[in-house]
Amino acid sequence: MLVSVLLLVLWEILAELLLADRGVIASPSAILQSLGADAALYTNAVKVTAWEAARGWFFGNLAAIVVALVFVQIKTLESLFHRLALALFCLPLVAVNPLLQVTFEPDTAKVVLAAMSVFFFTLVGTLLGLRSADGAPMTMVKAWGGNSLDALRFVRLPSGVPSIITGLQIGAAGATLGAIFGEFIGARAGIGVLLINGLMTLNLSRVWTVAVLTTLMATIPYLFFGLVRKWLAPWSASISSAAPVKPASRRRSLPARSGLAFAWLTGSLVVIVLAWYAYLHVFQLTPFVGKSPIDVWSYLFSAPKAVEHRGVLLDGLRVTLVHSGVGYVAGLVIGVVTAVLFTLLTVVERVFTPLAVALGSVPIIALTPLLILAFGRGLWGVVAIAAIVTFFPTLTITRGGLKGVPRDAFVLMRSYDSSRLGTLWRVQLPYTLPSIFASARIAAPAAVFAATVAEWLATGNGLGHVIVNSRAHSDYSGVWAAAAVLTAVSLVFYSLVSWAERAALARYAPTHTS
């Protein structure tokens, strides 16, 4: 409590005395004044956005958990459809938002956008939890004649509860972000409308008030599900995770492995293309707005101005890759280091956890203008935004992995008189590798998304700006082409992290590779 009061005092001093002339920070007193003056306006906006976000959060999480259960039971379906789920996550919201607005009713479009912002986080977290099932209980189920459904009911689901709840925690911020983003087009009320109004009128107090309200909207569910996790899964770190020795299997030759990987990749691409055509057909988008894969191919390779189109996209892509790449690495490293510090130093965790949660809960749309004011419109402003988006899921998932280490392992290390650093290096970090790589996979497309949002709102370059400029000129072929390029880049980014994950886990955590 004392720490929170000191932080508020420091905030007030920075805003009113040290940074008053820069117009970057609104003080707590100014935020309170804004809340008091427009209480009814803010209350109505929070109700509208919270209802949109809650529905998107529910349906997105429900779909993610069901899909994860199916994927665990039927690995063939995962191999085919996992990239489709990833492609949905990688779609740039800057391009998706106007398409959803012409596809659905305005309210439904916001809910769909919120659900899309939640789905992939929970899917990855649920898959990670279901596959972290302890080796010995899985062997016991098989020894007693149990089938895969028995293993799912008695072992995988109980083992997966902590990771599922972690996904629900992170999803609160994602749903809020999706709902606000949806309100940027055609909405009459909501937090997004107030945010646009504050930015257009340069009302710093309103922008910061919106940021604080949205932070609370995401933080309260986050803390609530943290308590639920402690209540539902107090046993999660007390069971031994010793895995049975796997029988040696004949390793396929390199040509065989390459051929199999190519076959799965081809199948996944076919599924994505079919889903693309199905979307155009089911929702009957006009040819002017809805562009097929053939239209995009023509725009990039066979149209009279195809060379010019490719040049614009490649120039934007180079900028976006630098922005997202530097921010991704910075956010990933800082997130893992912070999670380790939280584990080693309880005082640091207690002091800085509320700050970290608040930072991760502020919608990137509200945070972007403020960070651009602080860091400028160049490289470091966008890098800061991408790093923050990467930092929070990395911290949350990695910390959950570090806390999930079985107590038996700590007892064993204490019996050898191991130091805390020794235990961290020999036990906790290897055990947490699946969580670290899961966060790295999630953060890879998220960093690209954050960079495009910053480019859209502030910098005037990169693929984010290309999408906005194409949409402003009704060049929907350009919008779809840029969205396809961004999605493809995010998929490649994700696949590279997945390849590194498989290599690392095969050596340091082989029980988590199946």
Side-chain angles (χ1 to χ4, degrees):
M1 183 65 180
L2 178 61
V3 173
S4 299
V5 173
L6 290 176
L7 289 175
L8 285 174
V9 171
L10 179 61
W11 181 357
E12 184 77 24
I13 293 173
L14 286 174
E16 294 295 339
L17 299 178
L18 301 180
L19 297 176
D21 58 334
R22 297 195 62 181
V24 176
I25 301 177
S27 65
S29 59
I31 292 173
L32 289 175
Q33 290 175 4
S34 180
L35 278 171
D38 299 310
L41 184 66
Y42 286 120
T43 300
N44 181 65
V46 168
K47 287 180 180 178
V48 171
T49 303
W51 177 233
E52 296 163 355
R55 286 178 290 163
W57 178 89
F58 174 79
F59 290 115
N61 282 316
L62 178 63
I65 293 172
V66 171
V67 170
L69 292 173
V70 173
F71 280 0
V72 167
Q73 294 298 103
I74 310 175
K75 297 188 68 174
T76 303
L77 289 181
E78 179 182 7
S79 300
L80 283 174
F81 289 96
H82 184 73
R83 283 186 176 84
L84 176 60
L86 176 59
L88 292 175
F89 175 63
C90 295
L91 287 172
L93 296 186
V94 179
V96 172
N97 192 11
L99 297 177
L100 291 179
Q101 297 292 340
V102 300
T103 303
F104 301 101
E105 293 294 327
D107 183 67
T108 304
K110 300 177 186 66
V111 174
V112 171
L113 205 58
M116 290 177 61
S117 301
V118 167
F119 175 79
F120 194 72
F121 288 102
T122 303
L123 175 64
V124 172
T126 303
L127 285 173
L128 175 68
L130 294 176
R131 287 185 173 142
S132 67
D134 299 325
M138 289 288 290
T139 303
M140 186 177 298
V141 170
K142 293 180 180 179
W144 282 89
N147 55 30
S148 60
L149 290 177
D150 296 321
L152 177 67
R153 177 184 176 186
F154 295 109
V155 181
R156 291 194 184 276
L157 277 176
S159 296
V161 166
S163 294
I164 293 172
I165 295 177
T166 298
L168 299 181
Q169 287 180 290
I170 298 175
T176 303
L177 169 64
I180 293 174
F181 211 107
E183 292 169 352
F184 270 34
I185 297 180
R188 296 183 178 180
I191 291 293
V193 176
L194 291 185
L195 179 58
I196 293 174
N197 176 265
L199 293 174
M200 293 181 64
T201 60
L202 300 180
N203 189 336
L204 189 64
S205 297
R206 173 159 293 180
V207 173
W208 273 88
T209 302
V210 167
V212 170
L213 290 175
T214 51
T215 300
L216 291 175
M217 289 171 62
T219 302
I220 291 173
Y222 180 90
L223 296 176
F224 171 75
F225 282 105
L227 295 175
V228 171
R229 171 176 172 157
K230 290 182 180 179
W231 177 59
L232 286 180
W235 39 260
S236 60
S238 62
I239 303 175
S240 172
S241 62
V245 178
K246 296 181 180 181
S249 58
R250 185 174 63 87
R251 184 177 177 84
R252 292 188 179 95
S253 63
L254 180 60
R257 295 200 306 273
S258 301
L260 184 62
F262 179 78
W264 283 121
L265 176 61
T266 302
S268 299
L269 292 176
V270 169
V271 169
I272 291 174
V273 170
L274 290 177
W276 186 342
Y277 276 110
Y279 171 74
L280 297 176
H281 176 72
V282 170
F283 296 104
Q284 298 182 346
L285 295 184
T286 64
F288 178 73
V289 175
K291 303 299 179 181
S292 69
I294 294 177
D295 295 327
V296 171
W297 178 270
S298 174
Y299 180 84
L300 293 176
F301 297 103
S302 60
K305 294 184 177 181
V307 176
E308 179 183 340
H309 297 158
R310 290 199 305 271
V312 171
L313 290 176
L314 289 175
D315 289 342
L317 178 61
R318 279 192 288 268
V319 174
T320 299
L321 286 178
V322 173
H323 290 162
S324 58
V326 177
Y328 171 76
V329 173
L332 197 65
V333 171
I334 296 172
V336 172
V337 171
T338 303
V340 170
L341 288 176
F342 281 7
T343 302
L344 293 176
L345 304 172
T346 306
V347 175
V348 175
E349 180 179 20
R350 290 177 180 174
V351 171
F352 289 101
T353 292
L355 183 61
V357 172
L359 185 65
S361 301
V362 179
I364 195 64
I365 299 172
L367 199 59
T368 296
L370 305 175
L371 290 176
I372 292 299
L373 286 173
F375 293 96
R377 293 178 176 270
L379 171 65
W380 296 113
V382 184
V383 166
I385 295 164
I388 288 175
V389 170
T390 303
F391 166 79
F392 184 66
T394 302
L395 171 64
T396 303
I397 297 176
T398 303
R399 187 172 61 160
L402 289 169
K403 288 187 174 183
V405 176
R407 294 193 184 102
D408 294 352
F410 291 106
V411 173
L412 178 63
M413 296 305 292
R414 281 196 296 269
S415 69
Y416 284 99
D417 197 26
S418 175
S419 65
R420 293 195 68 182
L421 288 177
T423 301
L424 174 71
W425 182 253
R426 294 182 177 89
V427 176
Q428 290 177 276
L429 285 179
Y431 188 92
T432 310
L433 275 178
S435 297
I436 294 174
F437 277 107
S439 62
R441 281 188 280 118
I442 289 175
V448 177
F449 159 70
T452 56
V453 170
E455 292 162 357
W456 165 48
L457 289 175
T459 66
N461 56 17
L463 278 180
H465 177 70
V466 170
I467 291 175
V468 174
N469 190 54
S470 297
R471 191 181 69 191
H473 291 85
S474 298
D475 179 15
Y476 283 98
S477 294
V479 172
W480 282 84
V485 170
L486 272 175
T487 303
V489 168
S490 297
L491 287 170
V492 171
F493 206 174
Y494 184 95
S495 299
L496 290 175
V497 177
S498 298
W499 175 83
E501 177 185 20
R502 286 193 297 270
L505 296 188
R507 180 171 181 179
Y508 298 106
T511 60
H512 290 78
T513 58
S514 59

